[in-house]
Amino acid sequence: MWTEGQRLRAEGRKVGRVEGLAEGLAKAVLRILAARGVRMGDKTRQRILGCTDLATLDRWFERALHARRLSDVLKEPGTSS
């Protein structure tokens, strides 16, 4: 049985791992887009870096691998342009 302190530390480590994964994926998306010559403004860069949803970041990462335009990465199904 865990003490309250052990439980809180374990929860903190879990949150930290998720935050680290999100930060790493966001930076990877930006690096891929830069390597592919896809330009973006600061607002979009901050949107990507500020995203904490791992599923969204994973989707953007996969799309970035083949993207020619920023909209190829960020556009969600059912939205125009």
Side-chain angles (χ1 to χ4, degrees):
M1 181 165 255
W2 285 15
T3 67
E4 182 66 11
Q6 290 171 321
R7 186 188 66 73
L8 289 171
R9 279 191 299 278
E11 182 63 27
R13 283 191 299 273
K14 180 181 176 183
V15 169
R17 281 192 299 273
V18 171
E19 288 174 352
L21 284 170
E23 182 180 349
L25 265 174
K27 288 180 178 180
V29 169
L30 293 176
R31 287 184 70 185
I32 291 168
L33 291 173
R36 296 191 56 77
V38 176
R39 298 181 61 139
M40 73 188 75
D42 287 338
K43 185 176 178 180
T44 302
R45 185 177 315 284
Q46 289 308 312
R47 175 183 173 196
I48 293 169
L49 287 173
C51 182
T52 59
D53 182 69
L54 293 178
T56 298
L57 288 164
D58 191 52
R59 185 170 54 251
W60 289 350
F61 178 87
E62 291 296 325
R63 292 175 183 174
L65 294 172
H66 307 285
R68 293 183 182 180
R69 298 175 303 275
L70 192 56
S71 62
D72 294 339
V73 177
L74 300 178
K75 182 176 180 235
E76 295 302 324
T79 60
S80 58
S81 54

